[in-house]
Amino acid sequence: EVRLVAENGTTLLIIPLVGRSEIGGAVVVRQPKTSDDPFTQQLAVLFAAQAGPALEQFQVIGKLSEDLRRDDKLGIGNSRHATALVQSLTPGDALVFIDMDNFGKVNKDLSYAEGNRYLREFSDLLASSVRDSDLTARPGGDEFIFIAREAELDALPVANRLLQSWRESGHAKRSFSAGVAIHASNDLPEQTLDHADEAVRR
């Protein structure tokens, strides 16, 4: 429904952007009260009629894209998301690479179900321990990464706090190793990932 609202000597023409299933926004046209321009109003209505379904489609595509980058079992970013995070590195960002110690032994001695539970508990802890859970991901297997934007020396304390929280959650016998690399302006994102991975293996 198109609405006309008078405000401070002007008239606001508010036209909802209606998609197939919901309203995604609104077009607001501001014009003087003395102006009665039916052409402008009709143009705005026409634009809204075209923009509503397009906006809804854009939102659906965005949701599908997000789902494709989410690990269904763990609720954390998957390998696609990990790749995108690495490519998004800017100078001063810290990349923390995490490897779960002896994870294969968990699957072998207990079960794959127990291994999946173990990964889920860690991914939940990781997502809740960092400032932005969208900056966390699982490249694959028992490896995880997270990005600390413009963190530099602050990234190591974050990793230490994560380790402490993991121990306090009752997993003192199951450890992980973490490597930190600061992205430099003369490095490629893949090189920073390699540096963090190498730091884990030392």
Side-chain angles (χ1 to χ4, degrees):
E1 180 184 356
V2 178
R3 295 175 56 199
L4 286 172
V5 179
E7 180 183 272
N8 298 327
T10 62
T11 299
L12 298 181
L13 178 66
I14 303 174
I15 307 165
L17 297 176
V18 182
R20 293 180 180 176
S21 60
E22 62 182 11
I23 295 176
V27 173
V28 179
V29 179
R30 183 187 298 268
Q31 58 186 22
K33 282 186 177 180
T34 56
S35 174
D36 184 14
D37 184 358
F39 176 75
T40 300
Q41 295 179 11
Q42 188 60 38
L43 188 62
V45 170
L46 180 61
F47 170 78
Q50 297 295 320
L55 177 61
E56 184 177 55
Q57 185 178 29
F58 178 78
Q59 291 170 336
V60 168
I61 291 172
K63 182 64 169 61
L64 287 173
S65 177
E66 180 181 346
D67 290 344
L68 287 173
R69 289 166 56 169
R70 187 71 47 186
D71 188 310
D72 291 337
K73 292 181 180 178
L74 303 184
I76 199 172
N78 58 20
S79 59
R80 282 194 182 103
H81 191 59
T83 299
L85 285 179
V86 172
Q87 292 300 320
S88 74
L89 285 169
T90 59
D93 290 348
L95 189 155
V96 182
F97 190 99
I98 298 169
D99 183 75
M100 311 304 292
D101 297 332
N102 302 312
F103 178 71
K105 190 172 176 60
V106 175
N107 284 334
K108 181 179 179 181
D109 294 350
L110 300 175
S111 66
Y112 283 102
E114 179 66 14
N116 287 334
R117 186 180 71 82
Y118 175 37
L119 290 175
R120 179 64 192 237
E121 289 177 354
F122 183 80
S123 65
D124 288 345
L125 179 65
L126 176 60
S128 64
S129 298
V130 301
R131 287 179 294 181
D132 186 349
S133 61
D134 286 340
L135 298 180
T136 63
R138 176 188 174 218
D142 58 350
E143 298 172 341
F144 295 82
I145 66 167
F146 72 86
I147 307 294
R149 297 294 188 199
E150 301 178 357
E152 298 193 356
L153 298 179
D154 292 337
L156 190 56
V158 171
N160 286 332
R161 286 196 300 272
L162 180 63
L163 177 58
Q164 184 62 31
S165 297
W166 181 242
R167 288 171 174 167
E168 292 173 355
S169 68
H171 295 285
K173 294 181 180 179
R174 297 180 184 172
S175 61
F176 65 83
S177 301
V180 180
I182 307 300
H183 185 60
S185 58
N186 58 338
D187 280 344
L188 295 173
E190 295 81 5
Q191 291 176 306
T192 301
L193 176 63
D194 289 343
H195 293 330
D197 188 11
E198 289 166 4
V200 172
R201 315 301 171 191
R202 289 174 189 160

